[in-house]
Amino acid sequence: MGKLVVGTTIVCTAAICGVAILLMKHHKKNSSKWEKAMDILKEFEEKCATPIGKLRQVADAMTVEMHAGLASQGGSKLKMLISYVDNLPTGDEQGLFYALDLGGTNFRVMRVQLGGKEKRIVKHEVKEVSHTTHTKNIMAGSSSDALFDFIVTALAKFVATEGDDFHLPPGRQRELGFTFSFPVKQMSIASGTLIKWTKGFSIEDAVGKDVVGELIKAVERVGLDVRVAALVNDTVGTLAGGRYNNPDVIAAVILGTGTNAAYVERAHGIPKWHGLLPKSGEMVINMEWGNFCSSHLPVTEYDQSLDVDSLNPGEQIYEKLISGMYLGEILRRVLYRMADEASLFGDYVPPKLKTPFILRTPDMAAMHHDNSADLKVVGDKLKDIFEVPNSTLKMRKIIVELCDIITFRGARLSAVGIMGILKKLGRDTLKDGEKQRSVVAVDGALFEHYIEFRNCLEGTIKELLGEAADSIVIEQANDGSGVGAALLAASHSQYLGLEES
Ligand code: ADP
Ligand code: MG
């Protein structure tokens, strides 16, 4: 009996000790897991840092590249494309015009009834098609014909649903502006060849072709009677739309699926090699700033691997740090490393975390916006997107911190691009006695909906410009790129000068 008690006691003590050791091991493993995760976070934060000195270096590099890109064709990673828009809208535009707006995520068809100086935009109707969900297979690997047939089919449907309140004088052809948000080398206001695809598009047989020619062929295939009056980049459209509303608009920036900017260059800034003298002393330049690159950019290992795995490695480096297509994917890559090396989500890496682009920037923004005490939205997103059923508050907090780091870097770098333009135009400092205002029109869903991004961008402009910031206005341009294209179609109409009959 005594032996049994002693034996049992020994067994129990050994069991308790075993449990204690296991608990200690678990605790140690757990604490080393957090330590490792924090190490990864800290290292990432350091590599993403954008102190003001670095931002100034990047702004200077942007200005230098702008000069180089203008000075000679191929002289810079910035293409600085001549848009052939040298007469921005004045407000006098009249009549019914259409626009097609092909972005990286959305495709919009619209009609705008313009009523001149007095009546302005009388009526405006938009139909939006998300081509990434509706036509995933068109974006990559299909054919130029398939893409343009898709565009024109939407236009034909839209035209067929026209109400009586839109007025096209009898006998007149419908005229449209085509907003095409990819790099195009323009030959005139209504023709230009596609230089390359960006933002996840890859339709090889379209590269090098005249975009308007392809559109017209598709128009003929469906038997529509339409004239393409203007081919514009979305930045140029946004600038035109912005100028229509506000004469102080001097530049436009897109922050959506991708990022880009256009600005108004003075005639003496346009080099002779273009063989072109702007009529008005101004010319809109499409910078294609998404392709900007500088050794001063804070690029991390996650950005490098994202770039290597992308459809356009080595290109659009600035865009890959900033724009909506990529922010969520950068976050996924950091989380993957935390799952793999620090067991952030337990002993195995959640399989969904391995899927590129599964974490979209709108979901990231929703997590970042979460101000509930238990970060419920973050927990729900982890469950819905990565199938992580039980996330702790500690985990969720790490994710919000990563959102902060990624978004602040992107927003601060976007502000620096704007600073580069202001410097190029000599509008970054206050001049004695001068009261010039510079308005930058910004369009794109990233800027519109990602509040932290937007606030940080605006704050950084103030930080960079100091006193001069009072003369700079960052203005949201709603749907500016489409309306701008319709306005440019109006100012390049074949019926210009003819009375509406
Ligand atoms: P496009 O680039 O096709 O012209 P948008 O300007 O609408 O279209 O931008 C779409 C992109 O903006 C999406 O791909 C996404 O990355 C980003 N985006 C959309 N909604 C949000 C949101 N709520 N928060 C953050 N980013 C968003
Ligand atoms: Mg767009």
Side-chain angles (χ1 to χ4, degrees):
M1 190 71 178
K3 265 188 192 165
L4 186 63
V5 172
V6 174
T8 313
T9 311
I10 291 171
V11 170
C12 283
T13 314
I16 290 166
C17 282
V19 171
I21 289 169
L22 267 179
L23 276 176
M24 269 168 62
K25 267 193 180 160
H26 178 71
H27 179 71
K28 194 151 174 245
K29 192 173 153 200
N30 236 355
S31 62
S32 70
K33 152 182 154 176
W34 292 116
E35 274 167 25
K36 179 75 191 157
M38 290 315 285
D39 286 348
I40 295 174
L41 186 135
K42 286 284 162 258
E43 186 196 345
F44 181 58
E45 188 172 24
E46 279 161 23
K47 296 253 166 71
C48 287
T50 49
I52 196 81
K54 189 183 242 320
L55 291 186
R56 293 202 191 285
Q57 287 173 320
V58 179
D60 288 346
M62 180 68 85
T63 311
V64 167
E65 293 295 323
M66 288 173 80
H67 280 283
L70 282 172
S72 65
Q73 210 162 0
S76 162
K77 288 229 155 206
L78 296 187
K79 290 221 150 40
M80 304 299 285
L81 301 166
I82 299 286
S83 69
Y84 287 84
V85 172
D86 56 2
N87 52 341
L88 283 163
T90 57
D92 290 331
E93 294 76 11
Q94 277 201 51
L96 172 57
F97 294 91
Y98 296 78
L100 299 174
D101 183 354
L102 183 74
T105 304
N106 295 303
F107 169 57
R108 301 178 184 90
V109 193
M110 71 180 72
R111 54 186 148 237
V112 187
Q113 186 81 49
L114 299 167
K117 271 248 156 37
E118 294 294 312
K119 297 191 195 144
R120 313 287 293 180
I121 294 177
V122 180
K123 202 167 159 53
H124 170 210
E125 222 172 74
V126 187
K127 170 113 182 61
E128 182 162 317
V129 190
S130 163
H131 52 72
T132 45
T133 47
H134 288 231
T135 54
K136 239 184 190 123
N137 49 352
I138 285 188
M139 289 165 55
S142 75
S143 68
S144 176
D145 284 358
L147 172 69
F148 285 96
D149 281 343
F150 160 73
I151 292 173
V152 169
T153 306
L155 173 66
K157 272 193 206 148
F158 187 69
V159 165
T161 61
E162 198 148 281
D164 294 339
D165 38 1
F166 285 93
H167 171 66
L168 189 74
R172 286 199 184 177
Q173 214 179 1
R174 287 191 167 80
E175 293 185 294
L176 68 81
F178 183 24
T179 307
F180 187 75
S181 312
F182 301 93
V184 163
K185 172 150 180 50
Q186 298 222 194
M187 280 87 73
S188 69
I189 183 68
S191 66
T193 52
L194 174 63
I195 297 172
K196 63 173 186 182
W197 288 110
T198 54
K199 300 180 279 197
F201 271 67
S202 169
I203 304 171
E204 267 172 38
D205 71 336
V207 177
K209 283 190 183 158
D210 176 12
V211 177
V212 175
E214 293 301 292
L215 181 66
I216 290 170
K217 276 195 253 163
V219 162
E220 284 165 357
R221 281 198 289 274
V222 300
L224 264 182
D225 184 22
V226 190
R227 171 175 180 264
V228 182
L231 168 67
V232 297
N233 185 264
D234 52 347
T235 53
V236 178
T238 301
L239 182 46
R243 179 62 75 85
Y244 182 73
N245 292 322
N246 186 339
D248 291 331
V249 168
I250 49 108
V253 172
I254 300 291
L255 291 162
T257 312
T259 184
N260 189 11
Y263 74 105
V264 184
E265 184 58 270
R266 298 141 302 175
H268 63 81
I270 308 289
K272 293 186 192 66
W273 63 264
H274 287 288
L276 183 92
L277 265 186
K279 279 185 236 144
S280 63
E282 289 186 339
M283 173 61 79
V284 175
I285 304 289
N286 164 17
M287 291 174 63
E288 287 298 333
W289 88 2
N291 201 37
F292 172 67
C293 196
S294 155
S295 57
H296 300 300
L297 286 175
V299 176
T300 68
E301 63 188 91
Y302 309 98
D303 306 303
Q304 279 162 348
S305 64
L306 181 154
D307 176 48
V308 168
D309 295 343
S310 71
L311 284 170
N312 51 355
E315 289 174 22
Q316 304 294 106
I317 299 299
Y318 185 59
E319 176 165 86
K320 286 170 182 162
L321 298 173
I322 291 177
S323 77
M325 177 161 172
Y326 303 104
L327 297 185
E329 172 61 6
I330 299 170
L331 175 57
R332 183 197 68 83
R333 283 172 183 265
V334 184
L335 286 178
Y336 180 86
R337 180 156 170 228
M338 286 187 168
D340 190 33
E341 291 181 19
S343 308
L344 184 69
F345 300 111
D347 288 336
Y348 71 103
V349 177
K352 293 265 159 138
L353 193 53
K354 296 178 187 163
T355 311
F357 294 98
I358 197 171
L359 178 57
R360 297 163 53 253
T361 302
D363 290 319
M364 173 180 174
M367 294 196 282
H368 202 173
H369 291 159
D370 187 2
N371 47 21
S372 63
D374 60 346
L375 297 175
K376 182 173 182 312
V377 179
V378 181
D380 289 348
K381 292 284 176 197
L382 287 176
K383 201 183 291 170
D384 295 347
I385 300 167
F386 298 129
E387 295 173 356
V388 171
N390 306 308
S391 51
T392 62
L393 185 58
K394 211 165 174 180
M395 263 179 210
R396 298 177 189 181
K397 280 187 176 161
I398 289 187
I399 290 169
V400 175
E401 231 176 288
L402 289 173
C403 292
D404 248 1
I405 297 170
I406 296 167
T407 299
F408 283 15
R409 178 183 66 167
R412 283 172 76 76
L413 291 177
S414 319
V416 153
I418 295 175
M419 179 71 177
I421 298 177
L422 295 172
K423 278 177 94 100
K424 170 77 178 68
L425 296 175
R427 287 172 176 263
D428 60 320
T429 50
L430 282 180
K431 308 228 167 29
D432 282 346
E434 225 178 281
K435 277 229 163 87
Q436 72 176 357
R437 251 165 57 95
S438 307
V439 180
V440 180
V442 185
D443 199 2
L446 178 68
F447 180 76
E448 192 181 341
H449 300 298
Y450 203 154
I451 311 300
E452 282 81 2
F453 189 101
R454 183 190 183 130
N455 289 346
C456 177
L457 187 157
E458 289 170 352
T460 309
I461 294 275
K462 291 206 170 74
E463 193 181 330
L464 282 164
L465 285 160
E467 267 197 326
D470 290 345
S471 62
I472 310 295
V473 181
I474 306 290
E475 197 173 80
Q476 157 105 47
N478 268 330
D479 221 352
S481 56
V483 174
L487 286 162
L488 291 169
S491 50
H492 294 89
S493 163
Q494 60 191 328
Y495 305 112
L496 212 63
L498 296 179
E499 285 292 302
E500 266 206 28
S501 51

